[in-house]
Amino acid sequence: MTSHNMTWISYPSKNLAFTSPEEIEAFIASQNIISRLMHCYMAFFVPIGLIAGICILIIFIKNYLRHKVIENLDLLLLDFTISNIIMIFLSFTVITRPDYLKATHLACNILSFFFNFSYFNSQYVLILTLLILLLKRFPPRTALSKATQRPILCVGFVLTYAFCLSLTGAVLVGRDNYHLETDCQLDPLFAWPEYEIVKFIFGFGIPSFLQMLCFTVLFTKKAPALQQHIRTYPAAYIINITIFICRLFYNIMILFRTTFKLQKSIGTPKNELVMNIAEIVLFCETCASLAFILGFHKPCKDEIVKVIQNCRRENTANNHLEIPVTTTTHESGSQ
């Protein structure tokens, strides 16, 4: 593979030569927008995502300790939850926006590797979840159905596949200037164009094709109780749709950035703004997916309902505890 010289590239906001007051106002407006979006994400979505993720882990661990077994779907969603929690922690790199995290090329590449590992793993484990749910509506004698009956091996395969893709991405970030400090994003700006192309193909193109294929088979297979099947597993279908919409926007912007690299252009502040918005939308989806699991996945929903009912009983019992205090004083006699 031919090495690329990416030393020329920089963020438009770092390489501006203003020629008019309108350009200055547009630049300030874009900086304000990304700053407000970052504060909204950190203040609203991050707490929701982390609280939901921790609650999901507690519920799954509690159910495993209680029954000494974990359901296939729960195991896949547990893997998905851990990946999303890692992505939320890595998303703290946006806390410096509208500026960027300062790091060496090597440190930025390491952050990118762990981000991509979680990104690919969450994407493909969700495809595996959708496939297993789809196969529930088919005879269990098929070879594919038998293969999915061993979810630990399936998860191991997905983890290995995600690791290989992440390693490929780390190589495509580039092998030069590891000691130099740079402005760091989780998808590094200085990465070779092939990095974005590979990430788009294997992180969105192929998974989206598999998602559409699963949904097409699901809705064309004439089997009874289709609506009941979807109502039984709403979390997986809601998350698949949410991920497709949010990651579509994100990957389109990834491809736009690739076209600028191939044209030897750094783009405009507006392009940079939209790319930053797409990145934050991706992180918002990560948090929202965990909230959807907590709210729609039956074991999690049942546990939350049970906790709420217990709290209501305790409050009702406390309200009915009355301590009568009566003091009567009778004075008799004469002075």
Side-chain angles (χ1 to χ4, degrees):
M1 182 177 295
T2 305
S3 178
H4 297 273
N5 180 13
M6 302 300 296
T7 56
W8 58 271
I9 199 164
S10 64
Y11 289 98
S13 60
K14 303 287 187 179
N15 191 26
L16 285 177
F18 297 114
T19 58
S20 67
E22 290 78 11
E23 290 182 351
I24 298 176
E25 291 177 1
F27 172 73
I28 294 173
S30 66
Q31 298 283 288
N32 287 335
I33 291 172
I34 192 61
S35 178
R36 289 176 183 177
L37 285 175
M38 181 273 294
H39 283 98
C40 178
Y41 167 71
M42 297 300 297
F44 182 72
F45 284 94
V46 168
I48 290 177
L50 289 179
I51 291 172
I54 292 170
C55 289
I56 293 167
L57 293 180
I58 292 172
I59 291 170
F60 283 161
I61 293 172
K62 183 179 177 181
N63 288 343
Y64 175 75
L65 295 176
R66 183 187 303 162
H67 304 292
K68 299 302 179 182
V69 67
I70 186 168
E71 297 291 334
N72 293 352
L73 182 59
D74 289 354
L75 178 63
L76 299 178
L77 291 181
L78 177 62
D79 182 25
F80 179 81
T81 299
I82 294 173
S83 293
N84 279 22
I85 290 175
I86 294 172
M87 287 181 66
I88 291 174
F89 282 118
L90 290 172
S91 73
F92 286 175
T93 55
V94 305
I95 204 168
T96 57
R97 301 295 162 82
D99 202 356
Y100 296 91
L101 178 70
K102 298 294 183 182
T104 63
H105 283 237
L106 177 60
C108 193
N109 200 353
I110 292 172
L111 288 174
S112 177
F113 171 83
F114 285 107
F115 169 67
N116 284 328
F117 180 73
S118 301
Y119 179 90
F120 289 125
N121 181 59
S122 64
Q123 183 75 69
Y124 282 97
V125 81
L126 202 59
I127 298 297
L128 182 59
T129 302
L130 192 61
L131 179 62
I132 289 177
L133 294 181
L134 177 64
L135 291 174
K136 285 181 179 291
R137 306 187 67 238
F138 286 82
R141 296 182 299 276
T142 62
L144 192 57
S145 296
K146 293 179 180 179
T148 56
Q149 293 302 314
R150 306 180 72 181
I152 294 179
L153 290 180
C154 294
V155 169
F157 174 78
V158 170
L159 289 172
T160 304
Y161 184 60
F163 177 82
C164 294
L165 289 176
S166 304
L167 197 60
T168 303
V171 172
L172 294 176
V173 167
R175 299 185 293 268
D176 302 324
N177 304 318
Y178 273 158
H179 62 287
L180 297 180
E181 191 177 70
T182 185
D183 295 312
C184 181
Q185 268 185 298
L186 293 177
D187 282 313
L189 180 68
F190 56 85
W192 300 348
E194 289 87 349
Y195 170 87
E196 282 98 353
I197 295 172
V198 167
K199 184 160 186 176
F200 176 83
I201 292 173
F202 292 96
F204 182 76
I206 294 176
S208 296
F209 171 76
L210 294 175
Q211 280 179 318
M212 291 180 182
L213 183 62
C214 287
F215 276 111
T216 301
V217 175
L218 175 71
F219 288 104
T220 56
K221 173 71 176 177
K222 293 184 180 297
L226 174 60
Q227 293 183 352
Q228 182 61 35
H229 176 79
I230 295 176
R231 288 172 186 168
T232 306
Y233 311 103
Y237 297 109
I238 292 173
I239 294 170
N240 268 282
I241 295 172
T242 304
I243 279 187
F244 174 79
I245 294 171
C246 294
R247 296 195 178 186
L248 173 64
F249 176 40
Y250 178 74
N251 280 273
I252 287 174
M253 296 314 303
I254 284 284
L255 284 185
F256 271 119
R257 196 169 77 171
T258 307
T259 59
F260 289 132
K261 289 181 180 181
L262 295 176
Q263 296 168 1
K264 297 290 184 178
S265 170
I266 63 173
T268 65
K270 184 177 179 181
N271 301 134
E272 182 182 358
L273 168 65
V274 179
M275 183 65 215
N276 279 309
I277 292 173
E279 186 180 35
I280 291 180
V281 168
L282 173 70
F283 294 140
C284 290
E285 169 268 311
T286 301
C287 300
S289 295
L290 296 179
F292 289 147
I293 293 175
L294 188 64
F296 292 99
H297 185 49
K298 191 176 186 304
C300 297
K301 183 173 63 175
D302 291 346
E303 195 68 28
I304 295 297
V305 170
K306 189 187 301 182
V307 170
I308 294 174
Q309 289 175 346
N310 290 337
C311 291
R312 286 180 177 176
R313 289 195 193 101
E314 290 179 4
N315 290 334
T316 303
N318 291 334
N319 290 335
H320 281 82
L321 286 177
E322 296 180 0
I323 303 176
V325 178
T326 57
T327 58
T328 57
T329 303
H330 299 284
E331 295 184 356
S332 61
S334 59
Q335 292 180 341

